[in-house]
């Protein structure tokens, strides 16, 4: 029996959460890391090159640097277009004076005017093309950055964002944030024309420039109020939009439950409930924008009219020429163009607010890996030393001490909430413990590089998700490439080959178009794990949807056709616990006992895990347990070959005399992730 070590570390179970994750609705840019992992701290590189979690501003700077060349081209072309627009009035005014004076050089200046105007049109076209390219590249960079952070983080950290909220942040919000770099470039260039026009007015006639400057403070107040009022409404609009998407996605996932309960009307009302606030915030956004446009629409013509009136008086006084009056009117219009920056400011406000939301997923702390490797051909000995895991102030695991010998099969049992899935997650380093350490063949998991770790530690889950364009690609998913023959052998071992070949295109069928039951989906998840089986294979309730016969076939194939190694099985069925070499009994996050099922079965509280309340249920379950134990005993003692296999458990190959007849090609061994084929001899099933 493998006994857990006892220790007086109970006080750690009530310790506060040491690794908080960002709230799902950050309204301000986070200023500190939302969490940390044991070992080397995760490094978040901001746009400035400093370490720390990305903020909305740093993300926008990073996106700008990602497309710095194209963004600079946008600014330069916009500036050149502004220069052309500034040159045009002066050239037109001079040409008009030459034409009125019947000067012979007027034709040349007409040609120059045509060239400048044509250049301005072409430059505007180039700016439009480059703007679309920069926005697309920046959006893609933001999405990849956020998605990579979610995938690199602990699963429970990423789960803090609901699917609908996360989708909105990485789609709509990232698109709006991606417009920021080009908006800033265009905005900076667009200010050159009004500034240059004002300088030109001073050069032509000081009084015309003074007439324009009188109304400029009013314009600044209008733009300032627009920026302030729109920021709040935009942030609220985006938050409500995300809430609406989250509710819709939840309803789509539970469509059958809604239909069965006849709750379509109630669910429709729940989904659409945020529409009232969304509409209110949308109206507020348009109201703020409309006020700014209306005020600017009144103020700008008044300023232009005042400049022209002063210019007319100066012409009458003989201070400026008719051509210069034409130039003054054009420059007054260009200077009035400063009011058009309201639209660009609105886009920039939306981009900055969206960047804050996009920074939420991007700020998730990464699960840091080491650079080491596991010892070659290790047996897969798993050790947990003083492991404590606390989430949201609650201890899910407390001072867990375990040692599972290499090659053994261990079943993790316990009531709901005992910490079984968390133990499985810690054992394969899907997450790190807050205290303690996990070792595989004597090596701490956090010191191992991701490649060797994922090749030697495999998982199968209760609800597997298939990635890839075809079933074959989904089963081969993982680091490196594996032969198709290995994929098909793994599918046969998981009892999935027969129904996959009946699909419309067999293994070439897209996963999304395959009509799969829950049990069939679980068998495909098992096949994916079998195809890359390493020295440690963790099955987290991965057979819960299988019928008893299929589960038995899978267990037999796991023992005989899949690469030998250590098995850690989160078990709910009595038969799974009875067939395991040892059982880990969890209770309230602590290891209550470890040992063979036959020994633990003497404890009535252990039997209570598999029974329902009531004496009749206890008696019936006990009878079923006796039958299950009898079948396991028969399989283990049913003949010389089985006894030989039992002696060889967990030690690699069985003796040559125990090999028996040559296996059928349909049950060919499945290669492991490290390239080691499973032995041709049988191995005792877990």
């Amino acid at each position: 029996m493998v006994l857990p070590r006892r220790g007086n570390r109970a006080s750690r179970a009530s310790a506060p959460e040491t690794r908080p994750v960002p709230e799902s609705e950050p309204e301000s840019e986070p200023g500190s890391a939302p969490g940390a992992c044991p070992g080397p701290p995760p490094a978040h590189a901001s746009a400035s090159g400093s370490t720390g979690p990305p903020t909305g501003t740093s993300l926008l700077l990073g996106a700008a640097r990602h497309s710095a060349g194209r963004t600079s081209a946008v600014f330069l072309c916009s500036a050149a277009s502004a220069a052309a627009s500034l040159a045009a009035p002066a050239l037109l005014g001079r040409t008009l004076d030459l034409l009125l004076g019947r000067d012979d050089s007027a034709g040349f200046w007409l040609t120059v005017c045509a060239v400048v105007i044509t250049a301005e049109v072409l430059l505007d076209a180039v700016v439009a093309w480059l703007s679309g390219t920069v926005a697309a590249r920046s959006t893609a960079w933001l999405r990849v950055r956020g998605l990579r952070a979610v995938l690199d983080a602990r699963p429970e950290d990423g789960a803090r964002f609901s699917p609908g909220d996360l989708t909105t942040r990485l789609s709509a919000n990232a698109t709006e944030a991606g417009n920021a770099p080009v908006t800033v470039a265009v905005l900076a260039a667009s200010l050159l024309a009004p500034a240059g026009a004002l300088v030109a007015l001073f050069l032509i006639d000081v009084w015309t420039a003074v007439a324009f400057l009188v109304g400029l403070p009013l314009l600044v107040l209008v733009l300032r109020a627009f920026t302030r009022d729109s920021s709040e409404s935009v942030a609220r609009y985006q938050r409500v939009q995300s809430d609406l998407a989250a509710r819709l996605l939840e309803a789509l996932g539970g469509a059958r439950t809604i239909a069965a309960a006849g709750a379509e009307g109630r669910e429709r009302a729940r989904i659409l409930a945020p529409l009232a606030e969304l509409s209110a915030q949308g109206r507020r956004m348009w109201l703020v924008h409309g006020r700014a446009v209306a005020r600017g629409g009144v103020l700008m013509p008044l300023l232009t009219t005042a400049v022209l009136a002063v210019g007319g008086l100066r012409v009458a006084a003989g201070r400026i020429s008719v051509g210069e009056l034409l130039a003054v009117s054009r420059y007054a219009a260009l200077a009035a163009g400063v009011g058009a920056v309201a639209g660009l400011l609105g886009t920039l406000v939306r981009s900055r607010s969206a960047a804050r939301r996009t920074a939420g997923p991007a700020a998730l702390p990464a699960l840091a890996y080491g650079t080491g490797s596991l010892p070659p051909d290790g047996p897969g000995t798993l050790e947990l030393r003083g492991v404590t895991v606390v989430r949201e102030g609650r201890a899910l695991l407390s001072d867990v001490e375990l040692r599972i010998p290499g090659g053994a099969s261990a079943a993790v049992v316990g009531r709901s909430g005992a910490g079984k899935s968390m133990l499985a997650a810690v054992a394969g380093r899907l997450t790190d413990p807050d205290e303690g350490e996990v070792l595989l063949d004597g090596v701490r998991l956090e010191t191992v590089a991701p490649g060797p770790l994922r090749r030697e530690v495999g998982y199968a889950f209760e609800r597997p998700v298939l990635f890839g364009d075809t079933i074959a690609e989904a089963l081969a998913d993982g680091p490196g490439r594996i032969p198709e023959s290995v994929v098909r052998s793994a599918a046969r071992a998981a009892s999935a080959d027969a129904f996959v070949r009946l699909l419309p295109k067999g293994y070439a069928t897209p996963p999304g178009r395959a009509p799969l039951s829950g049990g069939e989906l679980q068998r495909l998840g098992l096949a994916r794990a079998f195809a890359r089986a390493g020295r440690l294979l963790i099955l987290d309730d991965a057979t819960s949807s299988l019928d008893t016969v299929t589960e038995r076939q899978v267990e037999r194939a796991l023992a005989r056709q899949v690469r030998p190694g250590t098995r850690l099985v989160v078990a709910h069925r009595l038969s799974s616990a009875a067939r395991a070499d040892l059982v880990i009994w969890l209770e309230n996050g602590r290891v209550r006992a470890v040992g063979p099922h036959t020994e633990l079965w003497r404890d009535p509280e252990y039997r209570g895990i598999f029974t329902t309340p009531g004496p009749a249920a206890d008696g019936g379950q006990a009878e079923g347990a006796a039958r299950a134990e009898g079948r396991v005993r028969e399989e283990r003692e049913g003949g010389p070959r089985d006894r030989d296999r039992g002696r060889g458990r967990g030690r690699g190959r069985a003796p040559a005399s125990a090999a028996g007849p040559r296996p059928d090609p349909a049950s060919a061994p499945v290669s492991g992730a490290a390239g080691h084929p499973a032995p041709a001899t049988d191995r005792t099933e877990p």
Side-chain angles (χ1 to χ4, degrees), residues 636-647 658:
R636 290 180 174 175
E637 301 176 358
R641 189 168 60 135
D642 285 342
R643 286 195 295 272
D644 288 341
R645 284 201 307 269
R647 286 194 295 269

Side-chain angles (χ1 to χ4, degrees), residues 24-29 56 60 142 161-162 164-180 229-247 274-275 277-285 345-360:
S24 58
E25 293 294 347
E27 289 305 318
S28 61
E29 298 175 6
L60 294 182
L142 290 168
F161 298 99
S162 68
D165 181 36
L166 186 61
T167 301
T168 303
R169 290 172 186 263
L170 297 182
S171 57
N173 295 154
T175 300
E176 288 186 309
N179 291 323
D229 295 341
S230 61
S231 296
E232 182 181 357
S233 59
V234 166
R236 290 184 178 180
Y237 185 90
Q238 291 173 343
R239 186 175 65 251
V240 177
Q241 189 180 42
S242 180
D243 183 26
L244 188 64
R247 296 186 183 207
L275 276 181
E277 186 178 358
L278 189 73
S279 175
Q281 296 303 328
R283 286 196 300 270
R284 183 181 178 187
M285 287 169 54
L345 284 176
T347 301
L348 190 58
V349 167
R350 290 193 298 272
S351 297
R352 195 162 180 267
S353 177
R356 292 194 187 103
R357 293 182 53 78
T358 308

Side-chain angles (χ1 to χ4, degrees), residues 385-673:
R385 300 176 180 174
V387 168
T388 296
V389 178
V390 181
R391 296 291 182 266
E392 297 180 357
R394 175 172 173 256
L396 302 183
L397 294 177
S398 299
D399 196 23
V400 174
E401 299 276 352
L402 281 175
R403 185 180 185 275
I404 303 175
S409 62
V412 184
V413 303
R415 298 189 183 278
S416 178
K420 301 184 295 296
S421 291
M422 181 55 70
L423 178 64
V426 169
R429 200 165 185 253
L430 290 183
T431 189
D432 279 327
D434 294 277
E435 294 185 32
E437 57 185 10
V438 183
L439 298 91
L440 184 60
D441 288 330
V443 180
R444 294 179 60 180
L445 292 187
E446 65 265 26
T447 66
V448 182
L453 179 62
R454 293 307 160 204
R455 282 194 296 269
E456 293 294 339
V457 180
Y459 273 94
F461 300 101
E462 179 185 7
R463 297 183 180 88
V465 179
L466 302 179
F467 299 98
D469 295 330
T470 65
I471 293 290
E473 289 184 10
L475 299 187
D477 186 42
R481 300 185 62 181
I482 58 176
E484 185 177 351
S485 59
V486 174
V487 171
R488 292 178 181 266
S489 295
R492 286 191 290 269
S495 298
D497 178 70
F499 72 79
V500 170
R501 285 190 283 108
L502 293 177
L503 293 174
K505 296 182 180 180
Y507 283 89
T509 303
R513 297 186 179 181
L516 301 174
S517 66
E520 290 172 337
L521 186 61
Q522 278 196 345
R523 279 183 271 174
L524 289 177
L526 288 166
R528 179 172 56 191
F530 292 173
R532 295 183 175 276
R535 67 186 72 187
L536 175 61
L537 183 59
I538 301 172
L539 308 182
D540 187 0
D541 205 14
T543 60
S544 59
S545 297
L546 303 186
D547 58 82
T548 305
V549 175
T550 304
E551 182 186 22
R552 184 69 193 98
Q553 293 172 348
V554 170
E555 288 179 349
R556 184 180 295 112
L558 177 61
R560 300 176 179 177
Q561 301 174 35
V562 181
R563 173 188 169 183
T566 306
R567 319 295 193 208
L568 185 64
V569 182
V570 175
H572 292 86
R573 293 181 180 177
L574 179 63
S575 58
S576 299
R579 292 190 180 99
D581 296 327
L582 58 92
V583 176
I584 303 167
W585 178 10
L586 288 183
E587 188 174 86
N588 297 325
R590 295 180 176 273
V591 177
R592 176 159 177 176
V594 178
H597 170 76
T598 52
E599 294 185 12
L600 296 179
W601 187 255
R602 299 167 188 162
D603 190 329
E605 294 188 28
Y606 175 80
R607 294 197 300 271
I609 298 174
F610 304 99
T611 60
T612 54
D618 289 344
Q621 194 67 32
E623 182 180 352
R627 289 199 300 268
E629 292 174 13
R631 286 195 298 270
V632 173
R633 191 177 301 110
E634 286 179 9
E635 292 169 358
R636 290 180 174 175
E637 301 176 358
R641 189 168 60 135
D642 285 342
R643 286 195 295 272
D644 288 341
R645 284 201 307 269
R647 286 194 295 269
R649 175 182 307 161
R651 299 184 181 91
R653 297 178 181 270
S657 60
R662 184 180 299 274
D664 184 82
S667 60
V670 180
S671 297

